[in-house]
Amino acid sequence: NAGVTQTPKFRVLKTGQSMTLLCAQDMNHEYMYWYRQDPGMGLRLIHYSVGEGTTAKGEVPDGYNVSRLKKQNFLLGLESAAPSQTSVYFCASSYFGQSTDTQYFGPGTRLTVL
Amino acid sequence: AQTVTQSQPEMSVQEAETVTLSCTYDTSESDYYLFWYKQPPSRQMILVIRQEAYKQQNATENRFSVNFQKAAKSFSLKISDSQLGDAAMYFCAYSSGTYKYIFGTGTRLKVLA
């Protein structure tokens, strides 16, 4: 049982390049989330998904797109990377989207945009 | 809007001693959940402890316990018998009714040998 995994762990991009971050979970969770973590700030929600085939915007969605084609995977895309998107990205999942449900986090991806 | 405040950017504790990390929050909800997450240098976010607002009893997990003061909107984390492996960033988080977590800015805990 690997829990939540993220690929890649590190990435350096040039401004304007695109990339996709992959999140996978093997806990059969319905809900999945993408957060970003910046220095001096807590985690902020980018997008989330309440189930296969669905996505929704979180707190800071601009510049990102997501897809959930399979229940176990949640992809985060940057179409045209900007230096402001330099951050650590975390994926998380939970059984449902209620307060009672603990969110389980992946190990994070450190992205640098030059 | 709900907010979570961690006013201590950094704390230090001697090994085997006890330390308390502070967290305050603001909400108009009566039913909600509070969490403490640990983020070691590996970056992995690990759930340490959680508290349901409707429970008056403070949650405890081995050496970790909370002091939940609902009226004061305070949710502090006490770490007893601190160990070197406790060194990490600690985040307080709030959730009410839905998926959304609101995180504080974190407290970096250093454990001195």
Side-chain angles (χ1 to χ4, degrees):
Chain A
N1 189 343
V4 180
T5 58
Q6 292 182 230
T7 308
K9 289 185 169 52
F10 302 93
R11 186 71 186 268
V12 178
L13 290 178
K14 294 181 180 179
T15 298
Q17 287 185 318
S18 64
M19 76 161 295
T20 299
L21 306 183
L22 170 64
C23 175
Q25 53 94 5
D26 61 2
M27 297 175 282
N28 201 34
H29 285 173
E30 292 293 334
Y31 274 61
M32 296 186 74
Y33 317 82
W34 276 107
Y35 292 90
R36 61 177 288 172
Q37 182 182 27
D38 300 297
M41 303 181 77
L43 278 70
R44 293 182 293 168
L45 184 65
I46 304 171
H47 285 280
Y48 67 100
S49 168
V50 305
E52 181 178 316
T54 72
T55 63
K57 294 180 179 179
E59 183 183 355
V60 287
D62 293 342
Y64 305 95
N65 56 76
V66 289
S67 64
R68 184 116 179 254
L69 299 179
K70 294 182 179 180
K71 185 177 183 178
Q72 63 268 34
N73 295 337
F74 194 28
L75 279 63
L76 177 71
L78 287 73
E79 290 187 350
S80 180
S84 61
Q85 294 178 304
T86 293
S87 188
V88 179
Y89 292 86
F90 287 94
C91 176
S93 69
S94 63
Y95 278 109
F96 298 106
Q98 299 172 9
S99 303
T100 51
D101 295 320
T102 299
Q103 292 189 13
Y104 296 86
F105 286 81
T109 296
R110 181 176 294 279
L111 174 65
T112 301
V113 183
L114 302 176
Chain B
Q2 296 94 347
T3 58
V4 175
T5 302
Q6 292 180 252
S7 58
Q8 305 155 317
E10 191 171 293
M11 294 280 287
S12 296
V13 62
Q14 287 290 139
E15 200 175 1
E17 297 295 311
T18 295
V19 65
T20 299
L21 309 184
S22 300
C23 174
T24 58
Y25 58 94
D26 188 25
T27 183
S28 58
E29 304 287 339
S30 59
D31 191 19
Y32 48 87
Y33 289 76
L34 297 162
F35 308 82
W36 278 100
Y37 277 88
K38 171 185 178 181
Q39 186 181 42
S42 67
R43 292 202 311 256
Q44 181 80 50
M45 294 283 283
I46 304 164
L47 178 66
V48 175
I49 200 166
R50 76 176 199 176
Q51 174 80 41
E52 292 89 343
Y54 65 86
K55 290 186 177 179
Q56 293 187 344
Q57 186 173 8
N58 290 326
T60 299
E61 290 286 343
N62 300 314
R63 298 181 296 107
F64 298 87
S65 62
V66 299
N67 183 6
F68 173 51
Q69 302 289 329
K70 191 172 185 179
K73 297 179 181 175
S74 171
F75 182 60
S76 60
L77 175 69
K78 186 172 82 171
I79 306 174
S80 304
D81 186 25
S82 297
Q83 300 175 359
L84 294 177
D86 295 334
M89 282 289 288
Y90 287 82
F91 291 94
C92 178
Y94 163 100
S95 182
S96 171
T98 68
Y99 63 91
K100 188 174 181 181
Y101 276 32
I102 299 171
F103 286 87
T105 53
T107 296
R108 182 174 301 281
L109 178 66
K110 295 184 176 180
V111 181
L112 308 174

